[in-house]
Amino acid sequence: MEEKVINTQKAIIWLCLGHLVCDIYTGFLNPIMPFIASKLGLSLGIATIIISISHICSSMLQPIFGFFADNMLKRFFIFWGLILVSIFIPLTPLAPNLYFLLLFMILGSLGGSFFHPQSMGFVNNFSDKTNCSNNMGVFISLGSIGFAFGPLIAAMITQVLGLKMISYTSVLGLSLAFSMFMFVPKLSLSKKNPERKEYYKSFKDILSNRQMNYLMIVSMMKSLITNSSCILLPFLWKDMGYSPFYIGFALFLFVFLGGIGSLLSPRLEKLVGSKPVIYISMLATFPMMIGFALTYKIYPIISLIIFGIIGFITMLAQPVTMVWAQKTLPKYKSIVAGFINGFCWGVVALCMSILGTVAQNFGIINVLVILSIIPAVSSYFVRFLKENKA
């Protein structure tokens, strides 16, 4: 029994490391995209559409892969997901034209779509009721930290060695993928799958559940701020003359503090409850974005600090939302993870394909301030959430 506990703990550690590395690669794209766009002669609108397509591939398909993951209960999606993202995201700076850029970004993004729902389902299944929230908090925060270091690593390589050298980073992800294949056990060895899930019934149960709908609204609002900030602001900073390293550091600060927020989230939840954490996350973004808009030209250091705080606040409720959703429909752990972590982000990505052109015409800061009002208004739906005792 003790050996089984140790094995599951080791599996969770490897899954967390995999999430860290997977999201490092995902974080590569935002800081270097303005420079890839400049190299290929792409406008802000076109570049935003390309990023949106990659986000759709990495997000919208997660519920589908989560469905297969829940039925297979094996490591297929974790292993191959990490391999795809490790190979193709680092190849994007080498793209000779728009078509190869799209191909590399889509294949790399599909890797992220493979990895996330099954790994989250595994973390939940390998955890017991007493440590599930903590394990999920660590898992999500390490992904956020990886997503934070991705921009910094990509920016430093770009500034010091050049864009082309990013392709050599594939070695890290490929090495970890093979290590995970060795050390993360098949879930079917430790927990049998009592019920094979039907595709249409699974999605109907999830989409018709009112609690899940409210939680998806919360997830979309967090994604709206995160995606719009991380995609649009690098273009603003590049136009203002900032270096790749500055852009990478700004995104690092945003997502790193977001990861700290995810890590502290379970503790805050125990102190004040689940709903207050979500309220804080959704209501505080608007005044902070106003502060950023008022300071980014005159007081860049202060604006950078505010930008980091926005990341902390936005991601504060992420583990709470995920665990709450999985407790709402516990037999669909991977599919639910795909909806909360993927589908919701994909819906926002669809909107981002339009927002790039809007921001190009009306100003990036104006768009960001208006967008930050939406989570505050949407916080109304949090009142309808019911605490889960499961």
Side-chain angles (χ1 to χ4, degrees):
M1 179 69 178
E2 183 179 352
E3 184 180 353
K4 181 179 178 181
V5 172
I6 293 173
N7 286 338
T8 57
Q9 288 175 345
K10 285 183 178 179
I12 290 172
I13 291 171
W14 280 104
L15 289 166
C16 289
L17 288 174
H19 195 202
L20 172 73
V21 172
C22 181
D23 283 8
I24 283 177
Y25 289 114
T26 308
F28 277 7
L29 293 174
N30 288 328
I32 63 174
M33 194 60 198
F35 301 93
I36 295 175
S38 178
K39 169 191 162 189
L40 298 179
L42 307 176
S43 66
L44 170 61
I46 296 297
T48 307
I49 290 173
I50 294 171
I51 296 175
S52 298
I53 291 172
S54 78
H55 283 198
I56 290 167
C57 292
S58 68
S59 304
M60 292 286 279
L61 298 177
Q62 283 195 30
I64 297 173
F65 295 134
F67 166 79
F68 289 112
D70 269 345
N71 276 316
M72 290 173 61
L73 296 178
K74 295 181 181 179
R75 304 158 297 177
F76 176 87
F77 291 109
I78 295 171
F79 181 61
W80 285 104
L82 198 50
I83 288 177
L84 285 174
V85 77
S86 301
I87 292 175
F88 290 103
I89 294 296
L91 283 177
T92 54
L94 298 180
N97 54 51
L98 173 62
Y99 304 107
F100 274 96
L101 178 63
L102 271 172
L103 177 64
F104 294 157
M105 290 181 74
I106 287 172
L107 290 174
S109 298
L110 282 174
S113 193
F114 274 21
F115 180 85
H116 283 94
Q118 185 169 59
S119 58
M120 286 184 177
F122 268 43
V123 168
N124 193 299
N125 277 298
F126 282 135
S127 303
D128 55 40
K129 291 181 180 179
T130 59
N131 64 5
C132 184
S133 292
N134 287 332
N135 287 341
M136 190 63 71
V138 172
F139 178 85
I140 290 176
S141 66
L142 281 177
S144 298
I145 290 169
F147 193 62
F149 274 97
L152 194 61
I153 294 169
M156 289 179 66
I157 293 174
T158 299
Q159 187 155 330
V160 177
L161 302 173
L163 272 172
K164 294 181 179 180
M165 298 302 292
I166 290 176
S167 60
Y168 290 98
T169 62
S170 294
V171 175
L172 172 64
L174 292 174
S175 301
L176 184 61
F178 286 102
S179 298
M180 289 183 66
F181 188 75
M182 294 174 60
F183 295 111
V184 176
K186 298 176 183 178
L187 193 58
S188 55
L189 297 178
S190 57
K191 292 190 178 184
K192 292 184 179 180
N193 187 15
E195 178 184 352
R196 189 165 183 85
K197 297 157 183 67
E198 297 177 8
Y199 183 84
Y200 291 108
K201 184 179 185 304
S202 302
F203 280 66
K204 182 181 178 181
D205 288 349
I206 292 171
L207 293 174
S208 62
N209 187 289
R210 186 171 295 181
Q211 178 108 325
M212 272 297 300
N213 291 333
Y214 294 142
L215 289 167
M216 283 193 284
I217 290 173
V218 172
S219 184
M220 286 177 194
M221 294 305 101
K222 298 197 304 293
S223 173
L224 180 67
I225 299 301
T226 302
N227 278 351
S228 58
S229 298
C230 291
I231 291 174
L232 295 177
L233 283 176
F235 287 90
L236 175 71
W237 286 321
K238 181 179 182 294
D239 290 342
M240 293 175 69
Y242 288 111
S243 67
F245 179 77
Y246 178 91
I247 297 172
F249 178 77
L251 295 179
F252 161 79
L253 187 66
F254 181 89
V255 187
F256 180 79
L257 291 180
I260 299 300
S262 295
L263 191 61
L264 296 178
S265 176
R267 296 181 184 180
L268 183 60
E269 182 186 13
K270 289 179 181 179
L271 290 175
V272 302
S274 302
K275 283 188 179 181
V277 174
I278 297 176
Y279 274 123
I280 292 168
S281 183
M282 298 182 77
L283 289 171
T285 306
F286 175 60
M288 298 306 297
M289 192 65 77
I290 292 290
F292 177 83
L294 294 174
T295 57
Y296 80 100
K297 284 184 179 179
I298 308 171
Y299 305 108
I301 300 299
I302 295 176
S303 73
L304 195 60
I305 294 171
I306 293 173
F307 182 62
I309 295 173
I310 292 173
F312 177 87
I313 291 170
T314 303
M315 299 185 202
L316 189 64
Q318 198 168 349
V320 177
T321 309
M322 177 60 69
V323 173
W324 203 336
Q326 289 182 322
K327 285 182 178 179
T328 299
L329 292 167
K331 68 177 180 178
Y332 300 126
K333 291 183 176 70
S334 294
I335 310 176
V336 164
F339 271 97
I340 295 295
N341 192 64
F343 178 79
C344 295
W345 285 68
V347 171
V348 172
L350 284 172
C351 300
M352 286 302 303
S353 63
I354 301 170
L355 286 175
T357 303
V358 175
Q360 190 171 353
N361 294 324
F362 296 98
I364 289 173
I365 292 296
N366 295 332
V367 168
L368 288 176
V369 170
I370 292 171
L371 289 178
S372 66
I373 299 173
I374 301 175
V377 174
S378 301
S379 65
Y380 170 80
F381 295 102
V382 178
R383 64 182 296 197
F384 300 112
L385 290 173
K386 297 179 181 179
E387 296 282 355
N388 272 300
K389 296 181 181 179

